[in-house]
Amino acid sequence: MAAKNTYKSNSLRKADKRARGFSFSFLKDRRFILSIGFVLIALSIFMLTSFLSFLLSGNSDQSVVEAFFSTGLRDSGLEAKNWLGVLGAITAYYFIFKWFGIASIFLPPLIFNLGYKMVTRNELVSTYGMFIFSFFAVFWFSLLFGYATLDAEDLSVSSLLSGGLGFQLAFLFHSLIGWGTYLFLLISLVVFVIYFFNVTELITFGNPKMENEPSGELEDPDPYVGDALAREEEIVTDILLKPEPEKEVIPQEFVLGPKTAEIINGQAETKENTETAGKKNDDPEFIVEELSDQEVASDQLEIYDPTLDLSSYKFPPLDLLKEYEIRSGQVTKEELEQNKDKIVETLINFKIGISNIKATIGPTVTLYEIVPDAGVKISKIKNLEDDIALSLSALGIRIIAPIPGKGTIGIEVPNKNKQLVSIRSVLGTEKFMKSEFDLPIVLGRTISNEVYLADLTRMPHLLIAGATGQGKSVGINVILASLLYKKHPSQLKFVMVDPKKVELTLFNKIERHFLAILPGSEEAIVTDTRKVVYTLNSLGIEMENRYNLLKEAQCRNLKEYNQKFISRRLNPNKGHRYLPYIVLVIDELADLMMVSGKEVETPIARLAQLARAIGIHLVIATQRPDVKVITGTIKVNFPARIAYKVVSKLDSRIILDTGGADQLIGMGDMLLSLNSDIIRLQTPYIETEEVDKICDYIGSQRAYPSAYQLPEFEGDEADIGEVNLSERDPQFDEAARLIVRHQQGSTSLIQRKLKLGYNRAGRLIDQLEAAGVVGPFEGSKAREVLIKDEYALEQFLRQLNDNTNHANTQD
């Protein structure tokens, strides 16, 4: 007997009923918000005009208002002397005479500022701060005037100054605490000023020197401030706008600064130039007497601000990004019903009953969750992927059996009308703007239309793969834009490798702000595949240098180290410095692997293994998901991977270790593999023009004198004619034995096995070449080992040492 479909239609009837009900979606309509903004502006002007007219006419309309309901509109309107007629008289009468008195004059500016923000998406002053100030002023002045005129003979004057509400409030306080009301008013004013204006210290007179400040001149002036104190340009403070909720209208502009900035009344307060003002009592100075390398008198020093050299830097505003009109109804009710019926019909044809089905609409695909009848094998439904795709006449059907964390089976069906996810719609969300991640990157929107935000420092590296034209380059630009909108140039540097020479060239404009460069290089973005090996090995040297700094500072990771440095617990005279995050971006790995092979794979794998703790993170993309490109060594060190649409299931398995990427529909549709979870996302769209505007905006601002300098790297093709074998490295013999034993003449082998820095390993390989142990440099190939066994090597080393000793004796 055929299995009966037990799907209940009652739930659909309820859903239809809810669909026909009232919707609040109009509240998100930009036209509605714009209209409300103009109404508020008009209302504020109306209130202010009616208040002024009421005060200038000396409350002459009181009788008109009181008789309004008995005499009628015509008679009252003719008698009203308010400039705005009887309605203006009523408004002023209630706000001033009945409620708050002349303190009501603080309300129209508040309403005007709110309307102005809704119309222009900008604020004249902070709306939140003005709201607090206005309401405090209204009640405080109302109480003050009420208590001051409590014994006045003419009650109309008291009501005019304090309002009826203020008068009653004053009478209540007088009954409770009497003349202590004035003391209450004074204390409340002081407390309000302290909190509203962020007052943390009182002005003191006399000797400004602190008691705990050491007397006499310190020997070592603070090397932190450097050129920052010598700058003479005006410091521009940035306004921190309150972010709007996710999926609401996106604010026009926001500025995100470092956490170390002190926010006062909505503004980021910066330090003024103190060089010409002479030495002040709070100037940061190092105490170097009787202190260890890591002990500095931090309690007497200001917190170090890494952004001080570029304190006027302004973060890119959202205005630079395009705002696309959000079209509602991307997936119609008819489309949902048709897809549901076809899914149910297909399952019934294969004798599979379901008890429930529901749909979750995303920007690109809709997820249908089904609950099968008891006894139905999950594998049976999974095998129907092609049959369901045939019945729906759609490409990109993906079955998730089961959905992790749920007792349901998911069927992802592409929408007929796909919704564009713009970069502005995700960067403007509250989730991104308030993110506390160290390196926040937006990857897209989920099927439930939520913004998916990740921290690159926790990934800690990202591998991106997919066929040509499916969204890899756009995805990289989205990641870079996310970081540029959240990080200051002092906190982040990029090392960019672009073998295609066209994808990342726009970022040349921010070279002196955000890019890192090899010493002597003409361009910060590496486009010559032969120089990639130098760049990667230079990063390896940077990694080792940073690990040495962390070791001396007794820190486990970059965050702890920088926190110690900021709090003045590390001395720059001992080599310590603030370390920015470094993100290595490689746009096409396949081309590099084809040219340089192991010389590229080895340093990439080493960086991926070790560089997380010292703040170096990798974002690598390729359009060839091949085992020769995404090797096992690389793959195992990239737990976070993104797959765009690929041609075959084999390609999907190479990237994700599972199928699914071959079922994607392209145009930014992707699968993210992270912590054994597979998440389907829609990559936000960012145009080249938008990237250009962001780079122009950043590049037009004051920058550092040069790009961030990576350590110098000496390649294997260095001139060996100048090598002096009489000054061989102490580990020359051990390196020679290692090379002969493995029959592999490479710098990376010496570096890895002997745990040496790349510079020293490079000098060793030059000495081995000069001595005749290995052959000359041959590009991507390993050097030829000229000595074939260890016995011959020992004889060679004995003779070489004898010759060296004989030469030294003659000298």
Side-chain angles (χ1 to χ4, degrees):
M1 185 175 178
K4 226 173 174 178
N5 182 17
T6 58
Y7 171 72
K8 305 296 188 297
S9 60
N10 291 337
S11 59
L12 283 180
R13 293 195 193 99
K14 293 179 181 178
D16 295 344
K17 188 174 181 180
R18 288 195 299 269
R20 291 194 296 269
F22 182 73
S23 174
F24 288 94
S25 60
F26 73 91
L27 295 176
K28 301 179 182 179
D29 193 330
R30 176 62 186 159
R31 295 169 297 179
F32 175 78
I33 295 174
L34 195 63
S35 301
I36 294 298
F38 278 112
V39 169
L40 290 177
I41 291 175
L43 177 61
S44 65
I45 296 173
F46 177 87
M47 291 177 64
L48 182 62
T49 305
S50 65
F51 291 173
L52 294 176
S53 178
F54 183 86
L55 295 173
L56 293 175
S57 64
N59 192 16
S60 59
D61 288 335
Q62 180 179 350
S63 59
V64 174
V65 175
E66 292 175 347
F68 171 72
F69 294 103
S70 60
T71 60
L73 177 61
R74 177 178 297 181
D75 295 336
S76 301
L78 292 175
E79 294 177 7
K81 294 182 180 177
N82 194 287
W83 299 336
L84 297 177
V86 67
L87 185 57
I90 293 174
T91 302
Y93 174 79
Y94 275 98
F95 273 94
I96 295 179
F97 193 81
K98 284 288 188 182
W99 294 339
F100 310 115
I102 60 175
S104 302
I105 207 74
F106 288 101
L107 297 177
L110 173 64
I111 298 174
F112 180 86
N113 188 61
L114 182 59
Y116 181 85
K117 179 183 179 182
M118 297 178 74
V119 171
T120 66
R121 301 186 198 171
N122 274 323
E123 296 175 311
L124 295 173
V125 294
S126 171
T127 302
Y128 177 76
M130 192 173 186
F131 178 85
I132 298 297
F133 177 83
S134 298
F135 273 82
F136 175 82
V138 165
F139 285 99
W140 193 86
F141 280 105
S142 181
L143 176 58
L144 175 65
F145 290 136
Y147 193 75
T149 61
L150 195 61
D151 297 328
E153 296 180 359
D154 189 355
L155 293 180
S156 62
V157 175
S158 177
S159 296
L160 185 65
L161 289 174
S162 64
L165 183 60
F167 184 84
Q168 294 296 329
L169 194 61
F171 185 80
L172 175 63
F173 270 80
H174 178 69
S175 303
L176 291 174
I177 58 177
W179 63 267
T181 303
Y182 283 121
L183 183 60
F184 170 78
L185 287 168
L186 178 61
I187 293 175
S188 62
L189 178 62
V190 171
V191 172
F192 174 77
V193 169
I194 289 174
Y195 276 92
F196 189 78
F197 294 102
N198 198 15
V199 177
T200 57
E201 293 183 3
L202 296 178
I203 299 175
T204 58
F205 299 94
N207 185 8
K209 181 174 285 190
M210 299 174 60
E211 293 181 3
N212 61 344
E213 182 179 346
S215 60
E217 294 184 1
L218 299 182
E219 298 177 2
D220 189 9
D222 186 3
Y224 283 95
V225 290
D227 296 335
L229 290 178
R231 75 188 190 280
E232 297 180 356
E233 67 175 11
E234 181 181 0
I235 297 175
V236 182
T237 58
D238 297 332
I239 305 299
L240 291 176
L241 300 184
K242 185 178 181 182
E244 298 185 10
E246 185 175 338
K247 301 182 184 178
E248 286 288 331
V249 176
I250 301 169
Q252 185 80 356
E253 179 177 356
F254 71 96
V255 178
L256 296 163
K259 300 177 184 177
T260 54
E262 182 179 7
I263 308 305
I264 298 180
N265 196 18
Q267 293 187 339
E269 185 183 24
T270 55
K271 303 296 181 184
E272 62 178 358
N273 191 339
T274 59
E275 185 180 73
T276 59
K279 182 71 74 174
K280 295 186 178 180
N281 65 308
D282 58 349
D283 282 348
E285 296 184 349
F286 277 113
I287 313 285
V288 296
E289 285 187 10
E290 300 179 2
L291 294 179
S292 65
D293 294 350
Q294 300 174 15
E295 293 177 335
V296 181
S298 58
D299 58 331
Q300 301 173 8
L301 301 175
E302 290 182 352
I303 290 178
Y304 170 69
D305 183 4
T307 68
L308 193 61
D309 287 336
L310 294 184
S311 58
S312 61
Y313 176 79
K314 298 180 71 175
F315 287 79
L318 286 180
D319 281 349
L320 303 175
L321 306 175
K322 287 188 177 181
E323 182 176 14
Y324 295 89
E325 181 180 354
I326 300 177
R327 295 176 295 174
S328 59
Q330 294 290 316
V331 180
T332 63
K333 177 184 173 183
E334 290 75 16
E335 182 179 344
L336 289 174
E337 286 289 340
Q338 289 176 5
N339 289 341
K340 181 266 298 181
D341 292 340
K342 289 178 180 178
I343 290 173
V344 172
E345 181 181 352
T346 304
L347 293 176
I348 290 177
N349 291 339
F350 287 91
K351 300 181 180 180
I352 298 175
I354 59 174
S355 59
N356 191 20
I357 183 171
K358 70 175 184 177
T360 303
I361 302 174
T364 306
V365 298
T366 297
L367 174 66
Y368 294 87
E369 292 184 58
I370 63 174
V371 179
D373 284 344
V376 176
K377 290 185 178 180
I378 293 178
S379 59
K380 190 174 183 181
I381 299 177
K382 180 68 176 175
N383 294 332
L384 297 178
E385 195 169 70
D386 295 335
D387 297 283
I388 295 176
L390 179 64
S391 66
L392 294 173
S393 302
L395 297 174
I397 301 295
R398 196 172 77 102
I399 294 181
I400 311 170
I403 297 178
K406 295 184 178 181
T408 58
I409 295 174
I411 302 176
E412 294 175 348
V413 181
N415 301 333
K416 292 181 180 178
N417 299 316
K418 299 171 183 61
Q419 180 181 340
L420 176 67
V421 177
S422 67
I423 183 68
R424 179 167 181 163
S425 70
V426 292
L427 295 187
T429 58
E430 185 176 9
K431 185 175 184 179
F432 176 77
M433 295 170 67
K434 289 189 175 182
S435 168
E436 296 295 329
F437 288 160
D438 294 317
L439 289 179
I441 55 174
V442 169
L443 297 180
R445 286 190 180 270
T446 63
I447 287 181
S448 59
N449 219 24
E450 296 178 357
V451 173
Y452 190 89
L453 188 64
D455 190 349
L456 184 58
T457 62
R458 299 177 185 176
M459 284 185 160
H461 312 293
L462 185 59
L463 179 63
I464 305 173
T468 304
Q470 303 303 319
K472 292 190 311 300
S473 296
V474 172
I476 290 176
N477 286 338
V478 168
I479 291 173
L480 295 176
S482 303
L483 296 172
L484 292 176
Y485 266 85
K486 286 287 282 185
K487 307 306 290 183
H488 188 275
S490 64
Q491 301 168 330
L492 174 65
K493 301 298 174 184
F494 294 108
V495 176
M496 296 188 176
V497 177
D498 183 15
K500 292 189 285 187
K501 303 181 180 181
V502 294
E503 297 295 345
L504 301 175
T505 52
L506 289 175
F507 295 95
N508 269 321
K509 300 174 183 178
I510 60 173
E511 175 180 327
R512 292 191 296 132
H513 291 87
F514 281 100
L515 299 191
I517 190 172
L518 282 173
S521 297
E522 296 180 358
E523 294 184 355
I525 298 178
V526 183
T527 56
D528 187 350
T529 54
R530 293 173 297 178
K531 294 182 179 180
V532 175
V533 177
Y534 293 98
T535 303
L536 294 175
N537 286 293
S538 177
L539 273 176
I541 299 172
E542 174 77 9
M543 178 182 70
E544 291 179 356
N545 293 340
R546 290 188 172 205
Y547 267 118
N548 289 333
L549 291 176
L550 261 66
K551 178 182 177 182
E552 294 173 5
Q554 297 181 354
C555 297
R556 294 178 301 174
N557 54 54
L558 181 79
K559 194 170 183 178
E560 290 182 8
Y561 176 87
N562 280 340
Q563 190 59 45
K564 266 193 175 183
F565 188 84
I566 287 174
S567 60
R568 306 281 188 171
R569 297 164 62 192
L570 299 174
N571 194 335
N573 291 333
K574 303 299 181 181
H576 292 291
R577 55 193 170 91
Y578 182 84
L579 300 177
Y581 285 100
I582 296 179
V583 177
L584 170 64
V585 181
I586 300 178
D587 188 65
E588 184 48 67
L589 179 63
D591 192 49
L592 301 180
M593 296 293 287
M594 186 184 304
V595 175
S596 300
K598 289 289 183 183
E599 291 195 63
V600 168
E601 179 187 359
T602 301
I604 287 178
R606 188 164 183 267
L607 286 170
Q609 287 173 343
L610 302 175
R612 172 183 183 177
I614 44 84
I616 298 178
H617 303 276
L618 283 61
V619 177
I620 298 179
T622 180
Q623 64 183 14
R624 254 182 57 196
D626 187 270
V627 290
K628 294 181 180 179
V629 177
I630 305 177
T631 62
T633 305
I634 291 179
K635 189 174 177 180
V636 74
N637 292 301
F638 284 80
R641 304 171 206 157
I642 288 177
Y644 290 93
K645 182 175 176 59
V646 294
V647 177
S648 66
K649 286 188 177 181
L650 177 60
D651 292 342
S652 177
R653 293 185 183 278
I654 291 174
I655 307 168
L656 303 175
D657 296 324
T658 185
D662 55 310
Q663 298 293 336
L664 299 175
I665 60 176
M667 296 179 292
D669 188 22
M670 73 175 189
L671 293 177
L672 169 66
S673 174
L674 184 62
N675 299 325
S676 302
D677 293 333
I678 303 292
I679 306 170
R680 191 167 188 172
L681 302 171
Q682 175 61 40
T683 303
Y685 179 65
I686 182 171
E687 293 185 359
T688 303
E689 180 184 355
E690 294 174 284
V691 178
D692 196 21
K693 287 182 179 179
I694 295 172
C695 294
D696 281 338
Y697 183 86
I698 295 174
S700 64
Q701 301 184 57
R702 179 174 176 265
Y704 294 107
S706 63
Y708 184 85
Q709 296 290 310
L710 293 173
E712 187 174 357
F713 167 72
E714 298 176 2
D716 284 342
E717 64 266 47
D719 184 9
I720 65 165
E722 301 178 359
V723 175
N724 186 356
L725 290 179
S726 63
E727 299 178 355
R728 297 191 301 276
D729 189 282
Q731 289 191 285
F732 176 87
D733 292 359
E734 189 174 352
R737 294 185 183 99
L738 180 68
I739 292 295
V740 172
R741 187 182 310 121
H742 289 82
Q743 287 295 302
Q744 180 184 343
S746 72
T747 307
S748 59
L749 177 65
I750 296 176
Q751 182 185 8
R752 187 171 66 255
K753 294 294 184 180
L754 300 183
K755 298 181 180 179
L756 303 177
Y758 204 92
N759 278 342
R760 187 177 177 185
R763 286 192 294 270
L764 273 169
I765 204 75
D766 291 340
Q767 293 174 4
L768 291 170
E769 180 184 352
V773 178
V774 297
F777 179 75
E778 298 182 9
S780 60
K781 297 180 180 179
R783 292 170 181 262
E784 181 185 0
V785 181
L786 302 178
I787 299 178
K788 300 304 180 183
D789 58 71
E790 295 185 56
Y791 177 75
L793 174 65
E794 294 301 329
Q795 289 183 321
F796 173 83
L797 291 177
R798 190 180 302 110
Q799 182 179 357
L800 182 63
N801 291 330
D802 291 341
N803 292 339
T804 302
N805 294 333
H806 179 68
N808 292 336
T809 302
Q810 288 183 341
D811 292 340

